[in-house]
Amino acid sequence: MGFTSEIHDYQLLSKIATNDKHGENSPYFDGWKAYDRDPFHPTKNPDGVIQMGLAENQLSFDLIEDWIMENPKASICTPEGVNQFKHIANFQDYHGLPEFTKGVANFMSKVRGGRVKFDPDRILMSGGATGANELIMFCLADPGDAFLVPSPYYPAFVRDLCWRTGIQIIPVHCDSSNNFKITREALEEAYQKAQEDNINVKGLIITNPSNPLGTTLDRETLKSAVSFINEKNIHLVCDEIYAATVFNSPGYVSVSEILQDIESINLDLIHVIYSLSKDMGLPGFRVGIVYSYNEEVVHCGRKMSSFGLVSSQTQHLLGAMLNDDEFVDGFLKESSRRLGKRHSVFTKGLEKEGISCLPSNAGLFVWMNLRKLLKEQTFEGEMMLWRDIINEVKLNVSPGSSFDCKEPGWFRVCFANMDDETVEVALRRIRAFVGKETTPSSSPKKPVKLKRWNSNLRLSLSSSRRFDETVLSPHNMMSPHSPLVQAT
Amino acid sequence: MAIEIEQPCVELSNVAVSETHGEDSPYFAGWKAYDENPYDELTNPSGVIQMGLAENQVSFDMVEKYLEQHPEASTWGKGAPGWFRENALFQDYHGLKSFRTAMASFMQQIRGGRAKFDPDRVVLTAGATAANELLTFILANPGDALLVPTPYYPGFDRDLCWRTGVKIIPIHCDSSNNFQITPKALEAAYQQAVSTYTKVRAVLITNPSNPLGATIQRSVLEDILEFVTRKNIHLVSDEIYSGSAFSADEFVSVAEILEARDYKDAERVHIVYSLSKDLGLPGFRVGTIYSYNDRVVTTARRMSSFTLISSQTQHLLATMLSDEEFTENYIKTNRERLRKRYEMIIDGLTSSGIECLKGNAGLFCWMNLSPLLEKPTREGELELWNPILHEVRLNISPGSSCHCSEPGWFRVCFANMSEQTLEVALDRIRNFMHERASVNRSLFSNR
């Protein structure tokens, strides 16, 4: 039964419903379509497109599965746990199950090596980090206000921070001249420009460890950011969703640790966003957390969390898991080791082909430098190269422009959402591609033949980069034909 | 350790500092009284009995029994290897197909098969709270209005208005015709919007009604459909209590009317549902939007990213709700048990000289204490509520908290306690009424 009336709809739906800020009309969706039409499978479709645009942590499920098998009481469906069913199924208090908030506080502390303690009473739930980021914006900013966001940044921030809240993103430009570090100058410049344009800046949001860079912020940069917002009396939101994916030195410094080191910081300005989607690989469970040092934000945010509470069934399971210190300690150590190993294999494989990545110590991806393969040092050049990577190399990677990167030629490539063999296949393909691209030839290069089904890959980019609202991240957008849907 | 010094207060958003979340209202005194002195059969038999919470606790045993007999519903089930991983990774905003199919089938069964539901139109959200807010974001701009019949669920102020910036304009209903929605009242509410230059975007009804505990009649639904079509606005039908109608044929869903007329003008209609009331699972956060409008479905699905249902819970419920033998039996038995509870409380209240609106659905009754009011005003109602809360020690909900324009009505929940507790509550009410009657008699005899 199809019920549409296009003219009707535009008159009858809201501005939010009819604008583009959901981000799905971006040209980058084509990479996903290519994957969905022709997904790689080691035996059934070995020539298919390998998904390297999805920042998922699939390396440590076995650890969680083992724990679950050994702890049937943590489920309300097993004979051992069903006596809790009535209480749990009825529990909708937005304070959360005490064992859950305690477990999350405990986990967050262990992720930071025990250097910081978190108060369970400040833990607010939300629908994944997606919901958490939106919630904190609703608490801190009014429609028309702005948040500074260092670029390159997670593309779905446009949806999460701006779509229903009506706030705007002002990018703070970072580039490879200093390994994309956030400088005080860049922050000041972005802030000043906003003042000149009469835009009310309410805060700065940083992702640490960074997506897409895979780097942790060093202590000095963090301190500088904190002192910047303190001086301007604006908020600081730290999205620490990748905190436990740190696998190498330098170690992780979270904003909560810095607060202990600096004097005269207004704690009311500091808020942390967290989730279990990356560190534990449980995006389906929708565990988003807002942790604020501001009492008013905690009170208001808690009421708002009614719009995205974590299922009590899930709270119960995770409450048991995260309070099991032996499990948590073991998991964090082993997960980090596996990520480090995978990162090493992948980056060494790339180095052999002369491909360098930004040196990184965290995350589920690398920030790959393909500038020397660009036919022209422009975003059009980047899109052309991307098209070739999708069509010829058959890898769905994410071009830097989708992260609002100012320098063409960078690509985010995920490595933790596949097994070892698939990594090898990806590296082999890259080897073949690079060999072809960089082999000097006396005869003119044959034009790249496009397969028919790729002919609708678009070349043009949106011309306005500053507040680009049509940028998509493959972060958690899935088409109806995604194999993950078919698998159920 | 950071030294905290006095700083100029940095502002939070207008939304953050507003009171539209509704939690600072005087009615929270009721919750406070309960929290400070909660009734317990054994440990605190003179405590406050919670009758302000619309929860369904009469049918848990059926769900528990199902789980005991069906281990495949849990994460521990003997599924294919790698099953847990697949489920834990699943964050597709379309939702598990098996779950959507099960929800569509469950909604169909509740309506006795008189309406069909297409699983591809089912959008999943974390509770009806999120569903109602999300629909409002899609259908209305800040400053626009939704027309909502009074009395209505107090949480609507938060769900429809708080972060959306949309207003509620009441459609006034009163006891002269059993609080039914009339075309006159609809038009009056619409005109009120017009007179304040406010754009009306939708009518939002709850059917069966909270707090009335009664279903909306077919003819009234048809009037409402005619009204929204004529005004070219939307209709949102919150049918969260549809499975709590005491008998299967008492409830008419707007879906049936649309199906009977071949879905003419259906693209303006959207249904909200949840498993919190009918299945008694509010903790699981399972809400849905069912829309006949393709664009609303697509947009709602995208927006649901902010409020998806845990894949662990989707799996559990997909298994349970696809079991038609279980669902048929559950729906039927749950209806009967709720009806029995309703009859029990009505009998008890009647024998105490208290009348209620004739109800046929829901987890509460709509009690008329207007003859007891000193003054027929909101203040008079709160003055009556005070002793009921603190002396009789029953937390019931005064009609003014539901924006009822007629003072003296109270919502009394009956499904969130054991039968024994309900007996205790009815005893206390009986005593309260006797005392009042004897006080009145002595006042008379002393003249």
Side-chain angles (χ1 to χ4, degrees):
Chain A
M1 345 167 212
F3 310 99
T4 0
S5 170
E6 275 297 331
I7 298 167
H8 239 167
D9 287 342
Y10 269 95
Q11 290 165 353
L12 284 186
L13 301 188
S14 68
K15 297 190 178 93
I16 286 176
T18 48
N19 72 25
D20 266 347
K21 291 210 180 120
H22 49 73
E24 289 189 26
N25 291 344
S26 140
Y28 309 106
F29 228 136
D30 295 342
W32 285 81
K33 286 187 194 146
Y35 169 75
D36 282 344
R37 280 188 202 117
D38 184 23
F40 170 83
H41 186 279
T43 48
K44 296 187 200 152
N45 190 19
D47 294 327
V49 176
I50 298 179
Q51 177 61 278
M52 302 192 91
L54 196 47
E56 278 178 355
N57 182 355
Q58 294 191 23
L59 302 187
S60 300
F61 272 116
D62 56 312
L63 304 176
I64 297 179
E65 278 165 339
D66 287 344
W67 186 91
I68 284 177
M69 291 314 296
E70 288 156 22
N71 291 272
K73 265 184 85 174
S75 163
I76 46 178
C77 306
T78 56
E80 295 88 340
V82 78
N83 60 356
Q84 284 292 299
F85 182 86
K86 180 172 168 167
H87 165 63
I88 299 296
N90 212 42
F91 187 89
Q92 57 172 330
D93 182 346
Y94 56 26
H95 290 83
L97 277 175
E99 53 267 31
F100 174 69
T101 50
K102 184 162 161 276
V104 171
N106 184 42
F107 189 75
M108 286 173 74
S109 176
K110 282 183 179 292
V111 167
R112 291 152 185 77
R115 295 181 295 277
V116 150
K117 287 270 170 291
F118 289 90
D119 176 0
D121 291 340
R122 291 187 172 281
I123 303 256
L124 306 179
M125 294 180 279
S126 198
T130 301
N133 276 315
E134 188 196 46
L135 190 151
I136 196 69
M137 288 300 122
F138 268 122
C139 288
L140 303 181
D142 293 316
D145 287 345
F147 254 74
L148 305 179
V149 186
S151 77
Y153 58 80
Y154 166 54
F157 270 163
V158 174
R159 175 195 61 189
D160 300 351
L161 309 180
C162 308
W163 191 18
R164 304 192 304 182
T165 59
I167 73 145
Q168 45 183 321
I169 284 176
I170 294 179
V172 177
H173 298 306
C174 307
D175 58 59
S176 60
S177 64
N178 67 344
N179 285 334
F180 293 92
K181 283 202 177 142
I182 305 164
T183 63
R184 185 64 180 249
E185 292 72 37
L187 288 170
E188 294 283 357
E189 195 188 316
Y191 185 84
Q192 285 316 319
K193 180 86 183 20
Q195 302 298 100
E196 286 158 24
D197 293 343
N198 239 349
I199 297 173
N200 187 24
V201 176
K202 272 325 264 292
L204 164 67
I205 179 166
I206 58 181
T207 307
N208 177 29
S210 161
N211 173 14
L213 304 176
T215 52
T216 53
L217 292 189
D218 60 79
R219 194 172 282 270
E220 283 320 304
T221 305
L222 249 187
K223 274 180 159 166
S224 170
V226 170
S227 97
F228 169 77
I229 57 104
N230 200 50
E231 189 192 294
K232 306 282 191 259
N233 202 29
I234 60 177
H235 292 280
L236 178 62
V237 176
C238 294
D239 186 340
E240 301 191 339
I241 194 179
Y242 291 99
T245 65
V246 178
F247 47 78
N248 233 340
S249 59
Y252 182 53
V253 182
S254 82
V255 71
S256 305
E257 297 171 54
I258 295 286
L259 297 180
Q260 291 168 165
D261 288 348
I262 314 179
E263 292 183 1
S264 68
I265 293 293
N266 181 1
L267 291 181
D268 281 347
L269 298 174
I270 313 289
H271 323 275
V272 178
I273 299 295
Y274 189 55
S275 162
L276 298 181
S277 300
K278 309 298 179 183
D279 288 351
M280 291 198 82
L282 306 172
F285 288 5
R286 312 316 301 147
V287 180
I289 302 292
V290 176
Y291 188 93
S292 176
Y293 291 90
N294 181 320
E295 277 304 321
E296 253 195 87
V297 170
V298 170
H299 286 134
C300 155
R302 184 166 283 132
K303 297 179 177 79
M304 263 188 212
S305 65
S306 295
F307 297 111
L309 297 174
V310 175
S311 166
S312 53
Q313 177 193 18
T314 303
Q315 288 188 51
H316 182 66
L317 169 65
L318 294 174
M321 202 187 293
L322 301 180
N323 281 309
D324 182 341
D325 283 339
E326 204 187 316
F327 165 76
V328 170
D329 290 338
F331 176 88
L332 291 176
K333 189 154 164 245
E334 181 60 14
S335 171
S336 171
R337 189 193 69 80
R338 292 180 187 183
L339 285 169
K341 183 160 168 237
R342 177 57 67 83
H343 172 268
S344 173
V345 163
F346 191 57
T347 49
K348 289 197 164 81
L350 292 174
E351 272 164 31
K352 275 209 194 105
E353 309 315 317
I355 294 179
S356 65
C357 299
L358 184 75
S360 64
N361 62 332
L364 309 174
F365 33 71
V366 291
W367 189 234
M368 191 160 72
N369 182 357
L370 295 182
R371 285 183 296 175
K372 63 180 184 209
L373 293 184
L374 295 183
K375 297 207 170 31
E376 36 179 279
Q377 294 291 324
T378 61
F379 288 109
E380 282 71 28
E382 181 181 283
M383 282 297 268
M384 281 164 61
L385 177 59
W386 178 60
R387 189 161 48 90
D388 288 348
I389 296 174
I390 300 276
N391 296 340
E392 284 191 44
V393 196
K394 311 285 241 12
L395 302 177
N396 182 28
V397 300
S398 311
S401 44
S402 68
F403 298 86
D404 202 21
C405 185
K406 282 304 144 198
E407 266 175 45
W410 293 89
F411 291 78
R412 189 192 77 169
V413 185
C414 299
F415 57 68
N417 61 315
M418 59 192 70
D419 57 29
D420 293 332
E421 289 71 29
T422 310
V423 174
E424 282 309 312
V425 175
L427 286 172
R428 269 204 302 275
R429 291 184 187 179
I430 292 173
R431 196 169 300 138
F433 177 70
V434 172
K436 224 169 49 192
E437 291 296 299
T438 56
T439 303
S441 59
S442 47
S443 54
K445 221 166 121 86
K446 263 192 248 166
V448 169
K449 247 202 196 140
L450 292 177
K451 295 220 177 81
R452 241 181 79 209
W453 49 262
N454 293 322
S455 58
N456 58 359
L457 275 177
R458 278 165 274 174
L459 285 178
S460 62
L461 294 175
S462 152
S463 53
S464 153
R465 300 306 300 170
R466 188 176 160 111
F467 301 117
D468 192 344
E469 292 158 359
T470 59
V471 162
L472 169 77
S473 162
H475 181 79
N476 65 358
M477 300 290 189
M478 290 197 206
S479 84
H481 308 295
S482 163
L484 280 176
V485 174
Q486 286 160 359
T488 61
Chain B
M1 178 73 180
I3 298 169
E4 297 177 42
I5 62 173
E6 271 298 319
Q7 299 277 350
C9 220
V10 63
E11 277 172 25
L12 300 187
S13 65
N14 291 333
V15 162
V17 303
S18 87
E19 288 185 353
T20 318
H21 49 72
E23 287 191 27
D24 295 332
S25 84
Y27 313 107
F28 268 76
W31 287 84
K32 202 157 168 275
Y34 172 76
D35 283 339
E36 281 163 8
N37 184 18
Y39 171 85
D40 182 281
E41 211 177 320
L42 301 167
T43 60
N44 191 19
S46 59
V48 175
I49 298 180
Q50 177 63 280
M51 302 191 92
L53 198 47
E55 277 177 0
N56 181 355
Q57 294 191 25
V58 307
S59 299
F60 266 114
D61 57 309
M62 289 191 276
V63 178
E64 280 164 347
K65 187 155 158 235
Y66 176 87
L67 291 174
E68 278 157 19
Q69 293 168 350
H70 293 87
E72 71 275 15
S74 92
T75 324
W76 279 253
K78 293 175 176 54
W83 177 90
F84 170 79
R85 171 196 173 113
E86 226 170 77
N87 181 256
L89 284 175
F90 186 82
Q91 56 172 331
D92 181 350
Y93 61 30
H94 290 80
L96 271 182
K97 175 121 194 183
S98 56
F99 179 52
R100 275 187 285 121
T101 306
M103 280 297 282
S105 152
F106 190 65
M107 288 170 75
Q108 213 161 289
Q109 279 186 291
I110 283 176
R111 290 155 185 75
R114 297 183 298 275
K116 305 233 179 343
F117 289 88
D118 174 1
D120 290 337
R121 292 190 169 280
V122 173
V123 176
L124 303 173
T125 63
T129 299
N132 279 315
E133 187 197 47
L134 198 151
L135 263 180
T136 307
F137 269 121
I138 290 178
L139 303 180
N141 293 316
D144 290 347
L146 303 187
L147 306 184
V148 183
T150 67
Y152 63 77
Y153 162 55
F156 277 159
D157 291 324
R158 174 197 60 195
D159 301 348
L160 309 179
C161 306
W162 189 22
R163 305 192 304 181
T164 60
V166 169
K167 301 184 233 196
I168 289 177
I169 290 180
I171 302 167
H172 292 296
C173 304
D174 58 61
S175 60
S176 62
N177 69 341
N178 289 327
F179 293 92
Q180 288 184 88
I181 304 157
T182 63
K184 192 158 165 237
L186 283 164
E187 188 63 44
Y190 191 89
Q191 289 310 321
Q192 197 202 321
V194 168
S195 69
T196 55
Y197 305 101
T198 304
K199 196 149 199 264
V200 174
R201 291 293 204 160
V203 170
L204 187 144
I205 59 176
T206 308
N207 178 27
S209 159
N210 174 13
L212 301 178
T215 57
I216 299 182
Q217 290 178 22
R218 181 184 292 270
S219 59
V220 175
L221 284 175
E222 282 167 354
D223 284 342
I224 296 170
L225 270 170
E226 189 275 331
F227 177 81
V228 299
T229 307
R230 189 163 31 94
K231 301 291 189 195
N232 195 22
I233 58 180
H234 295 273
L235 173 62
V236 177
S237 180
D238 184 340
E239 303 192 345
I240 194 178
Y241 291 100
S242 46
S244 307
F246 305 151
S247 96
D249 42 16
E250 294 261 13
F251 170 63
V252 177
S253 162
V254 70
E256 299 170 45
I257 300 182
L258 291 174
E259 186 159 316
R261 53 172 81 164
D262 259 329
Y263 304 107
K264 184 167 174 298
D265 289 322
E267 74 272 8
R268 61 182 73 256
V269 181
H270 324 280
I271 296 175
V272 168
Y273 186 56
S274 159
L275 299 181
S276 299
K277 309 297 180 185
D278 291 347
L279 273 181
L281 308 173
F284 285 5
R285 314 314 301 144
V286 179
T288 74
I289 293 170
Y290 188 90
S291 176
Y292 295 91
N293 183 313
D294 292 345
R295 186 151 189 145
V296 171
V297 170
T298 306
T299 310
R301 196 177 277 143
R302 287 177 178 148
M303 244 186 228
S304 68
S305 294
F306 297 111
T307 182
L308 297 174
I309 301 177
S310 168
S311 53
Q312 180 194 18
T313 302
Q314 289 190 50
H315 171 76
L316 163 60
L317 295 172
T319 313
M320 197 164 76
L321 298 183
S322 337
D323 185 334
E324 287 196 2
E325 202 185 311
F326 166 77
T327 52
E328 290 260 14
N329 180 52
Y330 180 93
I331 292 170
K332 184 157 152 280
T333 311
N334 182 51
R335 285 198 207 285
E336 275 165 23
R337 291 180 182 180
L338 288 174
R339 183 173 46 82
K340 280 210 177 80
R341 274 301 171 96
Y342 174 78
E343 282 166 2
M344 183 179 161
I345 196 175
I346 293 300
D347 284 345
L349 292 175
T350 309
S351 69
S352 304
I354 296 176
E355 283 185 1
C356 293
L357 182 76
K358 184 147 187 347
N360 62 350
L363 311 174
F364 33 72
C365 61
W366 188 234
M367 186 168 77
N368 182 8
L369 294 184
S370 57
L372 301 184
L373 294 184
E374 293 273 344
K375 309 170 279 207
T377 61
R378 183 173 172 264
E379 287 66 37
E381 181 182 282
L382 289 178
E383 277 166 27
L384 177 59
W385 181 55
N386 217 351
I388 296 178
L389 183 58
H390 293 115
E391 291 166 27
V392 190
R393 276 161 286 118
L394 301 177
N395 181 28
I396 60 178
S397 310
S400 43
S401 69
C402 304
H403 301 275
C404 187
S405 43
E406 222 177 277
W409 293 83
F410 291 79
R411 189 190 80 167
V412 186
C413 298
F414 54 69
N416 61 315
M417 61 190 74
S418 66
E419 276 186 17
Q420 290 80 357
T421 307
L422 186 52
E423 284 290 3
V424 173
L426 289 169
D427 272 336
R428 290 186 189 178
I429 292 174
R430 203 167 294 125
N431 293 336
F432 172 70
M433 292 299 285
H434 282 159
E435 271 169 37
R436 282 193 82 107
S438 62
V439 163
N440 284 342
R441 273 200 297 277
S442 66
L443 277 177
F444 266 114
S445 63
N446 284 344
R447 281 212 188 118

